[in-house]
Amino acid sequence: MKPNPRPPETVILEELLAGEAGYVTGTALARKLGVSRVAIWQHMEKLREQGFVFEPARARGYKLAARPSGLNAALIQAYRHGHHQDFTLQLLDEIDSTNDEAARQLAAGRVAPFAIIAQRQTKGRGRFGRAWHSEANGNLYVSFAFRPRLEPARMQMFTLWMGANLCELTANFCRTAPGLKWPNDLLFDGRKAGGMLTEARMDADQIRDLVFGLGLNVNSPAGGWPPELAGKAVSLAEHTRQPLDLNRFTAALIGRVLQAYDRFVDGSYRQTFADLWNRYDVLRNRSVAVLTGDQRVAGTALGIDDEGCFVVRTEQGRTERFRAGEVTLEKPPKS
Ligand code: BTN
C-alpha cells in the first residue's frame, strides 16, 4: 500500500468531519491509516490536548463533539481534504515576520508551494517598511511561498489579482465583501480589514522566490485596537457582527490563493481580472491624491490600466499612470 503522506491527526479529523452526522469507529480509522487501534488512540490523545473533544458511543465509535476555535494546522488541512496535496502548511506560535520566515525557508530549499501562518508576529511588516499590528487576537498573518519562474514584468498584476480573489472569497464566505484600494488594501467603509505584501527574489531574468503575505483582520474584537489604529482598522467579525470559523475560513482562503496562483501563472487570470477588479474597486470615480516620494498628484481615479497601473485624471485635465504610490481619498463620493 502507498504510504499516506498526510499527518495521521489530519486524516483522523478528515474522517470524523466526513462522518460528522454519525460516528467513525476506531477500527475504521486504524484501517484507513494502516496502524493499530492503540496508535489511533494516541493520535486522538494529541488532538484532545489541542482542544478537540471526541464523543464515544459503544459499538459506534467516535464523533467530533468540539473543535478548537483558535488556529489549528490539522483542522485547516482536514477542511482542505483532497485539494492541492503537494502544498504544506506550517503554523507557528510566534515569528518575527511570516514573510521573512517564508523567504528564509525558500532560500534554504524548502519545496514550494507552502504557507507559514503565525498566531503572532513580533516584526510584522507592511508596505514602506511600516509595522503591521500582529497580536495573537484571532486575526490571520500568513505568507505563501512559491517559485514561479516568471519574468519580473509579469508580476505587476499579481497583488491586484490576489486582492480581487480575496474580496470574492470573503463575499462568498461572509456574504459581504471588502473593497479594494489600489494596490494592496482591503477596506470596509474606509477602514482597513487587510493588507497584502508581495516580495520577490530574482535569479537572472526570472523570479526565483515569491512570497505573498497577507494580514487579514478576521476575529479581533471591536475596540481591541491600539489608539493609533482605532477608527482606521476593522475586522470581518466586527463588520459582520459575528465571529468567523477561523480554521474553515483559512482553509477556504488557502484553496482560493493556490487556485488564483495557478491561474496567474498559466495566464488564464486575464479573462476575468478586469471584471473582478472593477467589482471591488472603491477608488474609481473618487477624488484622490497619489503620493510618490515627495510628489503629490490630485485628481479623479479612473481605475487601473491593463498593466495594473493606477490611472488618474489630474485637476489640470492630464491623464497620469502610477506604477507605485500611496493613494488617499480626498472627498466623499459624488452623489
Ligand atoms: C500593508 O498593508 O502595508 C501590507 C501588510 C501585510 C502584512 C502581512 S501579515 C503577514 C505577512 N508578514 C508580514 O510581515 N507582513 C505580511
Side-chain angles (χ1 to χ4, degrees), residues 97-99 121 124-127 132 143 184 192 195-196 214-215:
S97 149
T98 55
N99 265 34
Q121 298 183 112
R125 292 182 292 110
R127 284 173 88 215
W132 184 260
S143 297
N184 72 324
K192 191 151 165 169
M196 300 170 284
L214 169 69

Side-chain angles (χ1 to χ4, degrees), residues 57-69:
R58 188 183 286 273
R60 294 173 72 196
Y62 302 94
K63 180 176 173 168
L64 191 53
R67 47 196 100 168
S69 58

Side-chain angles (χ1 to χ4, degrees), residues 24-291:
V24 180
T25 65
T27 309
L29 291 172
R31 202 177 308 122
K32 177 83 190 175
L33 279 161
V35 298
S36 68
R37 287 195 56 181
V38 174
I40 292 294
W41 188 85
Q42 285 166 344
H43 291 307
M44 289 176 77
E45 206 45 42
K46 275 197 203 160
L47 289 167
R48 280 190 190 97
E49 284 161 18
Q50 296 168 33
F52 291 93
V53 177
F54 305 107
E55 192 182 285
R58 188 183 286 273
R60 294 173 72 196
Y62 302 94
K63 180 176 173 168
L64 191 53
R67 47 196 100 168
S69 58
L71 285 165
N72 182 278
L75 187 54
I76 294 169
Q77 290 287 43
Y79 280 134
R80 301 192 55 254
H81 179 47
H83 294 104
H84 266 94
Q85 295 300 353
D86 54 348
F87 163 86
T88 52
L89 169 67
Q90 188 175 7
L91 173 60
L92 304 169
D93 283 341
E94 181 181 294
I95 195 73
D96 49 357
S97 149
T98 55
N99 265 34
D100 290 347
E101 180 61 16
R104 285 190 291 262
Q105 293 199 16
L106 278 170
R110 179 165 170 185
V111 175
F114 64 87
I116 308 287
I117 302 182
Q119 309 269 12
R120 173 173 184 271
Q121 298 183 112
T122 54
K123 288 187 184 151
R125 292 182 292 110
R127 284 173 88 215
F128 309 116
R130 290 180 190 139
W132 184 260
H133 182 72
S134 306
E135 264 177 41
N137 57 2
N139 292 341
L140 200 53
Y141 316 113
V142 54
S143 297
F144 291 85
F146 301 105
R147 295 187 203 277
R149 302 237 158 260
L150 292 176
E151 291 160 32
R154 279 190 59 187
M155 295 313 296
Q156 176 75 9
M157 306 289 254
F158 183 79
T159 309
L160 309 181
W161 167 241
M162 286 297 176
N165 274 273
L166 293 171
C167 286
E168 188 150 272
L169 166 82
T170 310
N172 293 339
F173 205 92
C174 311
R175 300 190 191 290
T176 175
L180 281 169
K181 176 170 169 273
W182 183 90
N184 72 324
D185 288 355
L186 305 175
L187 306 179
F188 280 117
D189 305 325
R191 291 203 282 166
K192 191 151 165 169
M196 300 170 284
L197 184 66
T198 304
E199 297 178 305
R201 208 167 124 174
M202 309 295 169
D203 194 6
D205 54 355
Q206 285 190 325
I207 305 263
R208 192 176 84 179
D209 297 346
L210 182 74
V211 175
F212 171 65
L214 169 69
L216 193 60
N217 304 330
V218 180
N219 273 339
S220 57
W225 300 107
E228 68 277 16
L229 292 179
K232 292 186 182 162
V234 66
S235 70
L236 298 184
E238 198 179 336
H239 182 75
T240 59
R241 294 170 197 269
Q242 55 184 39
L244 260 77
D245 180 335
L246 187 57
N247 290 299
R248 202 187 280 271
F249 180 75
T250 303
L253 184 138
I254 290 170
R256 185 80 193 210
V257 168
L258 295 179
Q259 183 196 51
Y261 174 80
D262 287 347
R263 293 198 55 200
F264 187 81
V265 172
D266 72 20
S268 61
Y269 81 100
R270 291 193 194 93
Q271 295 156 12
T272 48
F273 172 67
D275 279 351
L276 211 53
W277 179 271
N278 290 335
R279 193 176 311 158
Y280 299 112
D281 181 2
V282 291
L283 296 179
R284 202 183 176 90
N285 298 327
R286 307 269 310 259
S287 294
V288 295
V290 188
L291 298 172

